[in-house]
């Protein structure tokens, strides 16, 4: 049992609760001074096992703007992780020093593993190529601010849809709102994982798959560009083959609607030409700024909401079956129970969502 307000995946909260957090972020954005003492005396730990600019600093700025304090590391090499301390011990200790713990980690399912042992609220700031729910809250707030709605949207997602945790969380969230359609723009090798496509189908949303931006751009309300992430490829030659496939240029923007917006979770490498930045439809820097306001709202919501007592693992424990995903947190944190949801002919890892055929 767990009685903290964790955000490991977007489905830890309901759609009305997402809307509540986004509504609170809009109020904070309009009048930040009103919230400057709301977290006085509270401590947030930010544990970043993987590099970050926006997520880490916007969380830290958010807590400081709420009147709270921050501790943590942005390089595990400067902590006792470098001496071999496991995730469990680090989280157990740091969570007793803090009221809320924000963690980014290289391994998929690591946020759930942290929430299992933490003595405070845990927020997933990105677990490998798996999920990034606070980026999704940022993206939803940006859509609300820029287009005024979260439904009836045709959304193009371009680039690394396979390892793109921001894409996975965003697609899962937007498919909960009515009449949203997705155009998935990727190479076959970087296509959206089938389990996310299953989520889209199960929620009754439509999607199409294309190979080029040109095929899709004229129909879109929003184009979500993503970086091809070198750090996610097991083989660097594969990255070299994929890295320059997509680039949004000023020339391509001529074919987009006048009211289409371009979003990107950032960092950008070369998938959006710098000249596009001057186009008023380029919303990605405004999007990054929204991240701070939505994280202020999330911290406040997490701290003030009555905890919902719920189990973090609900599946079957199989001691003799290992998750087949080499990036799953259970592969290195060996004390974790091997917990799976049984879907008849497959087991679904409860940490990383890997499907294992029986
Ligand atoms: N969007 C995002 O997660 O950016 P950072 O990696 O800089 O945190």
């Amino acid at each position: 049992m767990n009685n903290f307000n964790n955000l490991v995946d977007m489905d830890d909260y309901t759609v009305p609760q997402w809307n509540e957090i986004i509504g609170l972020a809009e109020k904070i954005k309009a009048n930040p001074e009103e919230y400057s003492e709301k977290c006085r005396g509270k401590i947030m730990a930010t544990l970043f096992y993987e590099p970050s600019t926006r997520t880490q600093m916007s969380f830290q700025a958010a807590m400081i703007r709420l009147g709270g304090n921050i501790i943590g590391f942005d390089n595990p090499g400067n902590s006792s992780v470098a001496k071999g301390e496991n995730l469990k011990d680090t989280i157990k200790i740091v969570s007793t020093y803090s009221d809320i713990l924000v963690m980014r980690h290289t391994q998929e399912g690591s946020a759930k593993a942290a929430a299992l042992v933490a003595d405070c609220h845990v927020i997933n700031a990105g677990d490998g190529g798996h999920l990034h729910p606070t980026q999704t809250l940022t993206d939803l707030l940006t859509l609300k601010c820029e287009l005024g709605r979260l439904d009836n949207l045709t959304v193009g997602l371009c680039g690394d849809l396979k390892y793109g945790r921001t894409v996975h969380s965003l697609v899962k969230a937007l498919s909960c709102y009515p009449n949203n359609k997705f155009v998935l723009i990727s190479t076959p090798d970087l296509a959206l994982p089938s389990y996310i496509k299953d989520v889209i189908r199960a929620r009754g949303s439509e999607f199409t798959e294309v190979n080029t931006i040109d095929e899709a751009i004229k129909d879109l309300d929003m184009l979500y560009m993503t970086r091809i992430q070198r750090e996610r490829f097991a083989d660097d030659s594969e990255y070299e083959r994929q890295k320059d496939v997509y680039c949004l240029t000023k020339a391509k923007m001529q074919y987009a609607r006048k009211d289409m917006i371009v979003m990107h979770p950032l960092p950008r490498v070369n998938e959006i030409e710098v000249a596009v930045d001057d186009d008023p439809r380029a919303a990605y820097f405004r999007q990054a700024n929204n991240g701070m306001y939505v994280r202020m709202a999330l911290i406040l919501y997490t701290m003030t909401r009555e905890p919902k007592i719920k189990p973090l693992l609900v599946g079957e424990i199989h001691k003799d079956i290992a998750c087949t995903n080499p990036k799953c947190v259970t592969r290195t944190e060996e004390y974790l129970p091997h917990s799976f949801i049984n879907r008849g002919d497959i087991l679904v890892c409860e940490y990383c969502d890997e499907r294992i055929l029986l």
Side-chain angles (χ1 to χ4, degrees), residues 182-253:
F182 304 98
V183 185
L184 308 174
I185 310 161
S186 78
T187 62
D189 289 332
L190 292 181
L192 196 70
S194 53
Y195 84 90
I196 309 269
K197 290 180 191 166
D198 290 344
V199 172
I200 303 177
R201 285 190 198 98
R203 291 179 179 157
S205 298
E206 286 174 31
F207 70 89
T208 53
E209 293 182 280
V210 299
N211 293 128
T212 63
I213 294 174
D214 300 3
E215 289 168 81
I217 197 162
K218 66 178 187 340
D219 300 318
L220 303 177
D221 296 301
M222 188 270 273
L223 174 58
Y224 197 88
M225 294 297 297
T226 61
R227 175 176 64 98
I228 308 295
Q229 305 170 92
R230 176 173 229 142
E231 65 273 26
R232 304 281 175 236
F233 287 83
D235 174 359
D236 207 50
S237 63
E238 184 53 25
Y239 167 73
E240 290 295 330
R241 268 198 298 280
Q242 303 281 344
K243 67 176 183 182
D244 292 325
V245 175
Y246 296 108
C247 182
L248 181 64
T249 59
K250 228 176 142 175
K252 287 189 199 302
M253 285 295 283

Side-chain angles (χ1 to χ4, degrees), residues 137-149:
L137 289 170
T138 302
D139 298 342
L140 296 181
L141 174 62
T142 303
L143 283 165
K144 191 80 194 306
C145 292
E146 299 279 330
L147 300 178
R149 66 186 195 281

Side-chain angles (χ1 to χ4, degrees), residues 48 51-56 104 132 135 165-166 265-267:
F48 276 64
S52 167
T53 296
R54 278 145 291 274
T55 312
Q56 185 195 20
R104 171 171 290 187
H132 194 347
Q135 180 65 48
R165 59 193 174 197
T166 61
L266 304 178

